[in-house]
Every structure is written in structure tokens, then in C-alpha cells.
Amino acid sequence: MTRRLSELLRVPPGAVDLRAIDPRGTPGLPKAAGKDPKTWARAQLPILGAELFAWQEKLFAQAKSGASRQRLLLLLQAMDCGGKDGTIKKVVGEFNPQGVHIVAFGKPTEEELAHDFLWRIERGLPGAGMIGVFNRSHYEDVLVVRVHNLVPPRTWRARYAKINRFERKLVADGCAVVKVMLHISPAEQKQRLLDRLDDPTKYWKYDSGDIDERALWPAYQEAYADALGRCDSDDAPWYVVPADRKWYRDWAVANLLLEKLRELSPAYPPADFDPDVERGRLVTQPEVNSG
């Protein structure tokens, strides 16, 4: 039996070793991809997008009718240049933008620092019927905070349990959660940084601090491994998507979202009126003067 992509990409139980996951791998890519999988995967994206769009409309419609509080949250984490923006553009771009709520979490403001680390996250959650996207997330508070020693170890260690309770509560309230780490190699990150330096139209995306962060790669990988292992659950599993190949990354994330939406199986709500009666009213209504 063919395993679902979500099963192939979910972090293994127990200790997570990111070194064992090939950033250039293509788990689950079907034989149909042939000898030119890049072209095949790119051609598949709009096909997958059409189904994503259809499910999204049902999700939105049933919430608008008050029939359901279902919504979906895509959470993206990655090292710098990992492809979060590209994934949002290519995959999330297939949805109707009116039904998408995207939040990018950067360095906390003074107001945010005055509250619990989950405060700003709760404010950014999608409403009923919406597709929410987090570009970085509450996991920064067990990643960056840990690597840079911004809080005592006892503080960030306690956050794993808080995160698990928070996500469990989210799912129980009707918010499906798809957590994706876009896994790139140091070599790929270096090349993407060089590409930005070679292209004046990309200078705005370049941050000299990214080079300093590269020196902390081992510490970040250790922090990611702990976060993935400690905060993976059946309610809100973690998926590691090999992301050196952008075309595979997009195909994989689109399929993960599609699997989850099929699982949610939202449906158009029934009419709260009699269509025949309304049709009769419309047909017998006197013609409206357009002038």
C-alpha cells in the first residue's frame, strides 16, 4: 500500500536527527514524475491548486453559514533563506486571497514582550473558515531565544509543554494545524545568499546578520531537533520537507495541505430558503428600470 506523503514527511518518533534527512531528497515523488521531475512537479501545482481552491471555498462557505468553526493553520519554520516566502507565494497563492490570513512574526515589539510569548500568536490566529499562514511562529521562542540565550534555559524548556497545550486546545476548537519545517542545507543557504547579493532587485531581502546566524547553524539544528521532537503530536504533527529543491518543496507542501483539507472534508451548507420559491419571486418580479 502506498504511504501518504504526510506519513513519509512526519518526524520520526523519539529523538530527531536532522542530519539523517536529506535536504535534496524527494520523498513520495511518484514514478509519474519521470525523468524530468522538476517540470512535472511544476505542472502539477496548478492542478493541486484547483482542488485546494475548491476545498477552501467549502471551508469558507460552511463557516459563513455558522455551520462550522473549522479553519486551517499552516505554520512555516526554516533557517534563513529556507523558502518560507517562496512557499507562500507559490502554494498559498493558489488559494482565494480573500480567505487567507497571513502573519509574519519578527522580532517581538515592546508591547509583545510585555505579555506571554503566546499572546501575539493568539492575536494572529485565523477566524472560522479561513486559511491561516504563520511565517515563523511561537517556535521562535524555543529557537532564536534559546540559541541567543535571551531567556534562562528553565524558561524556554517550560515552553514546550505550553506549546503542546496551546496547540491541543486549538485543534479541539476546530483549527487544524499543519506544521512544516523547510529543511535546507548550509550549502544551499549560502548559494541563496550569494544569489541575493548578485541581484539588485533582491538586496532588500538581504540581511548582513544572516551571515552571523550561519555561524550558529549547529546550535539551531539542535534547537530545531528538540522542538520537533518535543512538540510533535497526533493532534499537531511536525513535517520536515526537504527544501533545497524549490519545486519539490512546493509540490510537497501543497499535498500536505490537500491531505488535511480532504481529511476535514468541509461541505457547502444547505440552503436556508426554498430555491423554487425564490426563483418564482425573481421571475415574477416587475422588470427593474436600469435608468
Side-chain angles (χ1 to χ4, degrees):
M1 180 181 295
T2 302
R3 296 174 66 191
R4 299 199 309 169
L5 189 63
S6 57
E7 296 174 325
L8 294 172
L9 297 180
R10 183 170 175 179
V11 295
V16 176
D17 183 2
L18 288 170
R19 295 170 300 180
I21 302 175
D22 182 5
R24 292 186 61 79
T26 57
L29 201 68
K31 292 182 179 179
K35 296 181 179 180
D36 187 5
K38 181 177 180 178
T39 299
W40 179 88
R42 287 181 169 173
Q44 284 293 303
L45 197 57
I47 298 173
L48 296 169
E51 188 175 348
L52 287 172
F53 187 98
W55 282 117
Q56 179 201 17
E57 185 173 76
K58 293 177 182 178
L59 186 73
F60 187 85
Q62 71 176 13
K64 187 175 181 181
S65 71
S68 172
R69 284 184 49 76
Q70 277 188 335
R71 61 256 198 227
L72 187 152
L73 174 63
L74 170 64
L75 186 156
L76 296 172
Q77 286 286 159
M79 296 292 289
D80 294 321
C81 299
K84 299 181 299 299
D85 291 343
T87 302
I88 292 171
K89 179 180 179 181
K90 295 291 187 177
V91 180
V92 180
E94 295 292 333
F95 289 117
N96 183 334
Q98 294 183 93
V100 178
H101 181 61
I102 301 173
V103 183
F105 292 99
K107 183 179 179 180
T109 64
E110 290 187 11
E111 181 185 20
E112 290 168 344
L113 287 172
H115 294 81
D116 180 78
F117 76 103
L118 290 172
W119 180 77
R120 65 174 182 164
I121 304 301
E122 291 174 331
R123 288 161 60 90
L125 290 171
M130 299 291 288
I131 303 290
V133 183
F134 281 179
N135 184 334
R136 299 189 188 275
S137 67
H138 41 293
Y139 283 93
E140 293 295 287
D141 287 282
V142 291
L143 295 170
V144 175
V145 165
R146 168 178 171 171
V147 171
H148 286 278
N149 299 309
L150 299 180
V151 298
R154 66 177 181 276
T155 300
W156 57 256
R157 285 179 183 140
R159 288 175 176 170
Y160 297 126
K162 290 183 178 180
I163 287 172
N164 287 333
R165 288 195 297 271
F166 171 69
E167 292 177 350
R168 189 161 52 245
K169 182 179 177 181
L170 270 185
V171 174
D173 191 47
C175 183
V177 181
V178 177
K179 301 185 299 190
V180 174
M181 179 200 176
L182 301 174
H183 183 41
I184 64 168
S185 63
E188 179 65 19
Q189 186 199 54
K190 182 178 182 179
Q191 185 57 56
R192 292 181 186 182
L193 287 170
L194 287 172
D195 289 344
R196 290 180 181 181
L197 290 171
D198 290 338
D199 185 352
T201 69
K202 301 295 184 182
Y203 287 170
W204 65 275
K205 298 186 71 174
Y206 182 79
D207 185 340
S208 60
D210 291 345
I211 297 178
D212 299 322
E213 292 294 284
R214 271 177 59 80
L216 300 171
W217 192 281
Y220 270 110
Q221 296 300 287
E222 182 180 356
Y224 262 109
D226 277 351
L228 296 173
R230 292 175 181 270
C231 296
D232 174 71
S233 68
D234 290 338
D235 287 330
W238 262 113
Y239 304 106
V240 178
V241 173
D244 273 13
R245 303 176 193 267
K246 297 178 181 179
W247 55 267
Y248 174 79
R249 172 201 74 196
D250 297 339
W251 176 84
V253 174
N255 273 284
L256 288 174
L257 289 172
L258 198 50
E259 280 191 28
K260 179 56 67 174
L261 284 166
R262 287 170 177 167
E263 180 184 313
L264 295 176
S265 192
Y268 290 117
D272 58 0
F273 53 85
D274 186 327
D276 291 332
V277 170
E278 297 303 306
R279 185 178 295 107
R281 291 180 61 214
L282 183 60
V283 170
T284 59
Q285 183 183 51
E287 290 299 320
V288 177
N289 187 340
S290 61

